[in-house]
C-alpha cells in the first residue's frame, strides 16, 4: 500500500493541469495517503522543493489556467547522476511514488525514473495533443477554443479589408491544433507537417480563391514549418491578395480551462491514484475509445503517435 505520493507538472504548461493536481491531491487525502506538491517539475525534484498538501492547498484552483506548482524545462534530468540525486530527495521525504503531469519530455523523465525503480504514473498534459496512444491530452480543448476565438476575430478584420490572413499556431510536430481549428473556422487552407508543406500549392490555391472573387482568405499553419512573415510577402506578391501574418504564440497556452479539460483532468487524476494504490507504476493514463486506461509508459513511448488522417481528409473535402 502506497503511503506517500508526489505530484509534479513539467514542460509547457497546459490549462487543466491545476484540475489534475487537485484531483490527485484530493483522491490521496480521501484515502489517507500523504501527498506532496513538487515545485518546478523535475528541477524541484532535484532540489527537494516539496510542499506537503492538505485539502486547503488545492482550494479554488480547478478553474485556473497554468499550474500552481509551476513548471520548468530541465534537460539536465537526462543525466543519470542528476536523477540519482532526485531519487535520494524522494527517499529523504518518504515519497514512494510520483504522478508526472506533462508532455513528451515529461513522459521520458517518468520513464527513466520508472526504470530506476520509482513508481511513476504519467498524465498527458499538453496543448499539442501529441502523446502517443491517447485520443486527447489535457489542455488541447482549451487551446483549441482560444485559437477558434482568434480565428473568428481575424476573419472579421480579414473580410473588412479583403485580405489574406495567415495564422501560425502551436503544436510542435503535431498538426492537431491547426486542423481542428481550421475545420471549426472554415478556413481556406490548413498547413501542417502531416499534410506537408508545398509553397507552390499554397500560392496556387490562394490565386484560385482570389480569381473566384473571394473577398478574403484565411490560412492556419502549425509552428516550425516556415517563416510565416516571409510566406505572407510571397503570397501578397504572387496572388494579388494583400496579406498579413500573425503568430498566436503563448496566448494559446494560458487561460481558464474549458469544462471538458477540467473533467478530463479530474478523472485522469483520480485514475492515476487508483493505479498507484494497486501498486501499478510505470504507466500512463490514456483515453482509448473514450475510456481511461493505464498503459505501459515504456511501450507507449516506443511507438510513434498515430495520426488520425481521417480528420485531415475531411478538412480537404469541406474546403
Ligand atoms: O509543448 C507545448 C508547447 O507550447 C509547444 O506547442 C511549443 O512549441 C512549445 O511548448 C513552446 O515552448 P516554450 O514555452 O518553452 O517556448
Amino acid at each position: 500500500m502506497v503511503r506517500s505520493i508526489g505530484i509534479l507538472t513539467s514542460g509547457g504548461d497546459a490549462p487543466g493541469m491545476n484540475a489534475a493536481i487537485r484531483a490527485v491531491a484530493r483522491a490521496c487525502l480521501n484515502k489517507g495517503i500523504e501527498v506532496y506538491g513538487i515545485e518546478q517539475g523535475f528541477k524541484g525534484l532535484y532540489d527537494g522543493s516539496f510542499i506537503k498538501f492538505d485539502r486547503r492547498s488545492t482550494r479554488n484552483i480547478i478553474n485556473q489556467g497554468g499550474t500552481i506548482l509551476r513548471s520548468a524545462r530541465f534537460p539536465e534530468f537526462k543525466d543519470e547522476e542528476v536523477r540519482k540525486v532526485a531519487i535520494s530527495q524522494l527517499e529523504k521525504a518518504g515519497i514512494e511514488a510520483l504522478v508526472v503531469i506533462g508532455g513528451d519530455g515529461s513522459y521520458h523523465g517518468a520513464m527513466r525514473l520508472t526504470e530506476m525503480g520509482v513508481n511513476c504514473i504519467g498524465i498527458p498534459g499538453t496543448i499539442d495533443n501529441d502523446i502517443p496512444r491517447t485520443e486527447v491530452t489535457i489542455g488541447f480543448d482549451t487551446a483549441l477554443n482560444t485559437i477558434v476565438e482568434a480565428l473568428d476575430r481575424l476573419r472579421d478584420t480579414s473580410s473588412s479589408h479583403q485580405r489574406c490572413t495567415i495564422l501560425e499556431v502551436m503544436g510542435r510536430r503535431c498538426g492537431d491544433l491547426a486542423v481542428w481549428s481550421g475545420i471549426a473556422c472554415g478556413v481556406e487552407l490548413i498547413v501542417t507537417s502531416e499534410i506537408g508543406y508545398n509553397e507552390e500549392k499554397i500560392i496556387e490555391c490562394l490565386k484560385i480563391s482570389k480569381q473566384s472573387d473571394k473577398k478574403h482568405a484565411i490560412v492556419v499553419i502549425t509552428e516550425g514549418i516556415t517563416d510565416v512573415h516571409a510566406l505572407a510577402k510571397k503570397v501578397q506578391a504572387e496572388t494579388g491578395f494583400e496579406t498579413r501574418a500573425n503568430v498566436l504564440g503563448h496566448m494559446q497556452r494560458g487561460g481558464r480551462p474549458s469544462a471538458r479539460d477540467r473533467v478530463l483532468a479530474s478523472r485522469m487524476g483520480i485514475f492515476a491514484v487508483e493505479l498507484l494504490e494497486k501498486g501499478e507504476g510505470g504507466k500512463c493514463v490514456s483515453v482509448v475509445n473514450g475510456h481511461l486506461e493505464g498503459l505501459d509508459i515504456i511501450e507507449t513511448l516506443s511507438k510513434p503517435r498515430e495520426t488520425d488522417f481521417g480528420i485531415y481528409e475531411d478538412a480537404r473535402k469541406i474546403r
Side-chain angles (χ1 to χ4, degrees):
M1 167 72 186
V2 64
R3 285 163 301 184
S4 178
I5 289 177
I7 320 167
L8 63 85
T9 49
S10 147
D13 63 330
M17 279 183 164
N18 281 327
I21 294 169
R22 175 182 180 273
V24 172
R26 302 262 164 129
C28 284
L29 294 170
N30 289 343
K31 292 171 192 287
I33 301 170
E34 275 189 355
V35 58
Y36 288 85
I38 299 166
E39 296 183 293
Q40 281 191 280
F42 293 114
K43 183 179 182 306
L45 190 56
Y46 175 77
D47 294 338
S49 194
F50 307 153
I51 311 160
K52 191 167 180 198
F53 275 176
D54 58 25
R55 284 192 75 82
R56 279 167 309 176
S57 314
T58 56
R59 235 176 9 198
N60 297 328
I61 65 166
I62 196 164
N63 57 346
Q64 280 178 30
T67 158
I68 56 158
L69 289 174
R70 293 178 282 136
S71 192
R73 300 204 190 270
F74 188 54
E76 293 84 344
F77 208 66
K78 287 188 188 130
D79 180 343
E80 191 173 351
E81 292 310 310
V82 170
R83 292 199 299 276
K84 281 186 186 159
V85 173
I87 291 173
S88 71
Q89 296 283 20
L90 286 174
E91 285 165 356
K92 244 195 273 168
I95 301 173
E96 296 171 346
L98 274 185
V99 175
V100 173
I101 307 166
D104 199 47
S106 317
Y107 268 35
H108 274 94
M111 180 180 84
R112 296 271 170 257
L113 286 176
T114 299
E115 287 167 345
M116 292 169 80
V118 181
N119 264 4
C120 286
I121 300 290
I123 293 184
T126 166
I127 65 165
D128 298 341
N129 208 32
D130 62 347
I131 300 287
R133 300 174 79 199
T134 183
E135 282 152 27
V136 69
T137 58
I138 296 168
F140 176 69
D141 184 66
T142 309
L144 173 61
N145 282 298
T146 304
I147 297 169
V148 164
E149 173 154 7
L151 280 169
D152 286 348
R153 286 170 190 253
L154 287 169
R155 175 184 288 273
D156 292 344
T157 173
S158 233
S159 76
S160 303
H161 287 266
Q162 305 190 12
R163 281 176 179 159
C164 171
T165 296
I166 301 172
L167 180 67
E168 179 186 291
V169 299
M170 281 186 171
R172 216 182 280 263
R173 291 166 298 275
C174 178
D176 281 19
L177 283 171
V179 79
W180 280 73
S181 61
I183 292 176
C185 296
V187 305
E188 273 58 42
L189 265 180
I190 300 169
V191 185
T192 74
S193 50
E194 293 87 345
I195 294 170
Y197 181 66
N198 183 333
E199 211 167 88
E200 272 171 33
K201 252 190 172 168
I202 295 171
I203 288 170
E204 196 47 42
C205 170
L206 292 169
K207 257 188 200 162
I208 294 168
S209 287
K210 181 78 181 160
Q211 282 154 12
S212 69
D213 211 26
K214 259 196 160 263
K215 298 286 178 270
H216 73 276
I218 298 184
V219 180
V220 58
I221 179 166
T222 307
E223 64 180 349
I225 291 182
T226 191
D227 174 342
V228 287
H229 297 285
L231 177 64
K233 279 196 186 127
K234 268 197 193 150
V235 168
Q236 178 157 318
E238 295 187 33
T239 66
F241 257 133
E242 195 184 351
T243 304
R244 297 285 187 273
N246 293 258
V247 176
L248 195 53
H250 289 82
M251 189 94 87
Q252 66 207 289
R253 227 164 61 185
R256 291 159 76 89
S258 66
R260 199 165 261 282
D261 274 330
R262 295 181 203 189
V263 173
L264 179 69
S266 301
R267 295 189 62 212
M268 284 184 159
I270 295 163
F271 196 84
V273 175
E274 285 171 355
L275 287 173
L276 287 173
E277 232 193 337
K278 287 189 252 168
E280 295 188 32
K283 297 254 161 111
C284 52
V285 183
S286 296
V287 180
V288 181
N289 297 325
H291 294 284
L292 294 187
E293 285 191 19
L295 305 180
D296 187 273
I297 202 165
I298 297 176
E299 216 180 295
T300 298
L301 285 178
S302 67
K303 302 219 160 75
R305 180 175 178 270
E306 279 175 17
T307 302
D308 173 9
F309 281 106
I311 193 165
Y312 290 88
E313 263 304 294
D314 291 343
R316 201 177 51 78
K317 287 180 203 154
I318 54 177
R319 219 175 42 219

